[in-house]
Amino acid sequence: RLEMKERFNTTTATLDDLFSKLKVARLEMKERLDKQDQKCNGVVSLGFYPFINWSSTKSEGFLIDVLYNKQRNDTALRVQFHSQFWLTGHMQCSQYFFGFNGALCSEPANIVTSIYKTGDQSFSTAPPGEVSGVCYATEKGPLLSGNVMITVHIQQPCGLKNAVTGKNSHGDVTSFVLVEEYCLNKKVNR
């Protein structure tokens, strides 16, 4: 009898423990579902990608990329590429732009920044600058949750092909890409 009572007590304790864990798991699941159902408000997620002592002498094409894990389907990405931009020679210009999963942003618009220089000498210092904008859809469709490959590109539509992007001669500059995922004020209709 004593042995049966001990087995009963052990089984009851094990079942109580399992029911307790199940209750906690149900509450956690309910909280997760409630969060997903809540109206999106403010910044959802943030990604900061530094490139220390990075530089490029490319005048055309791909410069850098980052992989960002987008949390929700109903959010937009605000992206920023901060670096230093050099142009040498007379009457130069460069354009820097973002790509998302191999496509340009189309909603609300393409994200591009143009830099112009007149005169014969290069910038005496590499002026810091940034390319920034907001994207919630490309020509391929809305930016959905999951991994989004974000790329920065350069082209030089005028002048000689002699741009330098990134660190200065002192090597103490950090270029970076900043990604903010935040809630949309309008629905994407595709």
Side-chain angles (χ1 to χ4, degrees), residues 7-142:
R7 282 186 192 167
F8 177 78
N9 288 340
T10 302
T11 303
T12 303
T14 302
L15 287 174
D16 287 344
D17 186 47
L18 286 174
F19 285 124
S20 176
K21 287 179 181 177
L22 182 60
K23 185 177 179 180
V24 169
R26 282 184 182 166
L27 287 173
E28 288 174 353
M29 178 63 82
K30 184 181 182 321
E31 286 177 16
R32 277 198 304 264
L33 291 173
D34 287 346
K35 281 183 182 178
Q36 287 178 356
D37 290 339
Q38 287 176 358
K39 189 170 185 176
C40 190
N41 187 13
V43 174
V44 174
S45 183
L46 181 70
F48 179 73
Y49 307 90
F51 295 85
I52 299 169
N53 292 328
W54 170 87
S55 68
S56 173
T57 57
K58 287 184 180 179
S59 297
E60 300 285 335
F62 165 82
L63 288 176
I64 58 174
D65 62 358
V66 298
L67 187 62
Y68 178 77
N69 185 15
K70 192 167 181 285
Q71 302 297 306
R72 297 175 61 123
N73 289 332
D74 61 344
T75 54
L77 295 181
R78 180 183 182 278
V79 292
Q80 177 187 55
F81 172 58
H82 180 86
S83 193
Q84 289 189 297
F85 306 106
W86 297 71
L87 290 171
T88 59
H90 184 68
M91 302 298 288
Q92 298 294 312
C93 68
S94 290
Q95 291 181 331
Y96 293 85
F97 56 97
F98 278 97
F100 301 86
N101 292 332
L104 297 176
C105 185
S106 62
E107 291 186 45
N110 188 13
I111 301 171
V112 62
T113 295
S114 298
I115 299 171
Y116 296 93
K117 182 189 116 9
T118 59
D120 288 330
Q121 57 277 65
S122 66
F123 289 122
S124 58
T125 61
E130 68 181 49
V131 184
S132 63
V134 173
C135 187
Y136 47 86
T138 69
E139 59 263 14
K140 293 180 179 180

